[in-house]
Amino acid sequence: MDTEPFNKTAFLEGYLLKHRELGKRQREYKKLLSSKLKSRNETIIDASYENTIDRLEEEKNDLRAQIWVAAGTTHIKKDKRYLAQIRCHVECQENLAEDITKLKTSICNMEREISRVSKQIYNLNRLTVPEQQHQAHVAKVRKKMVILENSLEVGVRQECGFTAANAELREQLIRILNHRTFFNDSYTKMVQKLNSDKKYLIDLIEYALNTFDGCIDVYEKIDKITKRESKERELRRIELQSIMRKVAADADNTAFVECKGRERVLADLPDKEYRRRDEFRRKHNKKINLYNSVLKKILDYTNSSNVEEVIEKFQQQESLYYSFFNYANEMSYHITLLNNSVNRLFEDIIDLKRENTNTLQDQIDMINSLEQQVRKKQASNVELHKTRESNDTRLENLLQGVEMLCDMCSVDTTPLNELLGDHSHVNLVNVERFLRLLETRIQDIVASVYVFERQDEGNNDYVVKQIEKICELPTDLNDIVLTQQCPECAEGEAFNMDDGGDGVAIHTIKEAKQKLYEKITQPEMQYRLHSISQCRLPRSRMLAAKRNV
């Protein structure tokens, strides 16, 4: 049972895409390593890049193993066997098509030649006219021939003038073509120089981008320093305000104490007031001792000597915990992105499996359709073989008929004996020569019958009534095709080196035939040889109009 053929093209394209992504990530990782300063976000990004690079390395190893399996001898032998079968079928079809085409062409040519001979015989019998009518017609034709000879002489003189002007225009066209060649060479050199300078421009752009990134980092640092200085300035202002308030309060307290600190004779307080003050002093001393013990424990725990160090350490720990919280949030965000990427990859894998299944079914259907077409072609080939046999039989009968006509007309075949080959019987090789001799013999017989019938003056019932051919109308000078190419068309057909053509791509036999057919049947090929007055280009019409003025 045949297995599904391995799609090497899609597999190698996926491998190259992933390899390019790996190279891109490696270059970004090198740029990050070469940078001097790294923030916390950059450290997290570096870690994600390293994880991605490791994952891509694993995928690369898996792809390499799959490539080794796909390049096994079993798949190669199977592909070669299928290709050999396909090539054999294609060659057989092409050979059969060529043979059938040749046979059809030969048969058509034979039928056309036979019809032409029959038509000539009919025309010879139909165009027989009396002698007096023939003499009048000859005199009329001679007058017309004299007029046409005069017209021909005038046309030849005009053509000579046109040829001289054409030579001058040809020199101008040669100069223009030389200028155009020089321009194409200069343009090609400039394009090559631009391509060579492209790498230098890319390096300059990368350098500018790196410089711009460095400027952004410097701006961030300056912004942080400015914010820190403004914050410190605000703290100093607040501290100065507190000091000023403290100095004012001390001055007020000093004035109050000086006012109230004078010796006075006061009456003794009641016992209730003494008890209240003792209770208040006792409670506050207890709280002060508790606060002092707590403060001492905090100083011992933090290994600090004063409260300012404790506050600073607390702020540092708070900032560190906040940074850890942000790092945890960032990691959870990246984990969510990776989970989404994994889910998308699983969906892509499922879609790829479904697509491969559909592709396999399509390929199986295509194979079945191709097998049906092969069976139909085989049946049509059998019918074509039968047609060929029948055509061979008809062709043999026609050749025998030509040979019988030659025998009936007593055609002299001695000139054919000097040629190579067997000319004792009519075949496809010498049928043209036999028909040429038969045509000459028929013309001789008709001329003889015409002369013998005219010798008897009393006989008016002629078998060959007219033997001469009516002179066809003369060809118009404008319809005469020159043997040189039009200069304007030659310039239009000049090859431009910048176009590049079709390149060096190898086409199949069908594509090559199609391109050859399009090139032969294009309208420009039918008007390759003509005068400048018959050219269809606008500039040629302008030049022809100037000459006729």
Coordinates of all heavy atoms in Angstrom, one line a residue, residues 297-306 309-310 313:
K297 N 14.4 47.1 70.2 CA 14.3 45.9 69.5 C 14.4 46.1 68.0 O 15.1 45.3 67.3 CB 13.0 45.2 69.8 CG 12.9 44.6 71.2 CD 11.6 43.9 71.5 CE 11.5 43.4 72.9 NZ 10.2 42.7 73.2
I298 N 13.8 47.1 67.5 CA 13.9 47.4 66.0 C 15.3 47.8 65.6 O 15.8 47.3 64.6 CB 12.9 48.6 65.7 CG1 11.4 48.1 65.8 CG2 13.2 49.1 64.2 CD1 10.4 49.2 65.7
L299 N 16.0 48.6 66.5 CA 17.4 48.9 66.2 C 18.3 47.7 66.2 O 19.2 47.5 65.4 CB 17.9 50.0 67.2 CG 17.2 51.3 67.1 CD1 17.7 52.3 68.2 CD2 17.6 52.0 65.7
D300 N 18.0 46.8 67.2 CA 18.8 45.6 67.3 C 18.6 44.6 66.1 O 19.5 44.0 65.5 CB 18.5 44.8 68.6 CG 19.0 45.6 69.8 OD1 19.9 46.5 69.6 OD2 18.5 45.4 70.9
Y301 N 17.3 44.6 65.7 CA 16.9 43.7 64.6 C 17.5 44.2 63.2 O 17.9 43.4 62.4 CB 15.4 43.6 64.5 CG 14.9 42.7 63.3 CD1 15.0 41.3 63.5 CD2 14.4 43.2 62.2 CE1 14.6 40.5 62.4 CE2 14.0 42.4 61.1 CZ 14.1 41.0 61.3 OH 13.6 40.2 60.3
T302 N 17.5 45.5 63.1 CA 18.0 46.1 61.8 C 19.5 46.4 61.8 O 20.0 46.9 60.8 CB 17.2 47.3 61.5 OG1 17.3 48.2 62.5 CG2 15.7 47.0 61.2
N303 N 20.1 46.2 63.0 CA 21.6 46.5 63.1 C 21.8 48.0 62.8 O 22.7 48.4 62.0 CB 22.4 45.6 62.2 CG 22.4 44.2 62.7 OD1 22.3 43.9 63.9 ND2 22.4 43.3 61.7
S304 N 20.9 48.9 63.3 CA 21.1 50.3 63.0 C 21.4 51.0 64.3 O 21.1 50.5 65.4 CB 19.7 50.8 62.4 OG 19.4 50.1 61.3
S305 N 21.9 52.3 64.1 CA 22.3 53.1 65.3 C 21.3 54.2 65.6 O 21.2 54.7 66.7 CB 23.7 53.6 65.1 OG 23.7 54.5 63.9
N306 N 20.5 54.6 64.6 CA 19.5 55.6 64.8 C 18.3 55.4 64.0 O 18.2 54.4 63.2 CB 20.1 57.0 64.5 CG 20.7 57.0 63.1 OD1 20.4 56.1 62.3 ND2 21.6 58.0 62.8
E309 N 18.4 55.6 59.9 CA 18.9 54.4 59.2 C 17.7 53.4 59.1 O 17.5 52.7 58.1 CB 20.1 53.8 59.9 CG 21.3 54.6 59.8 CD 22.5 53.9 60.5 OE1 22.3 52.8 61.0 OE2 23.6 54.5 60.5
V310 N 16.9 53.3 60.2 CA 15.8 52.3 60.2 C 14.8 52.8 59.1 O 14.3 51.9 58.3 CB 15.1 52.3 61.6 CG1 13.8 51.5 61.5 CG2 16.1 51.7 62.6
K313 N 16.2 51.9 55.6 CA 16.2 50.5 55.3 C 14.7 50.1 55.1 O 14.5 49.2 54.2 CB 16.7 49.7 56.5 CG 18.3 49.8 56.6 CD 18.8 48.9 57.7 CE 20.3 49.0 57.8 NZ 20.9 48.2 58.8

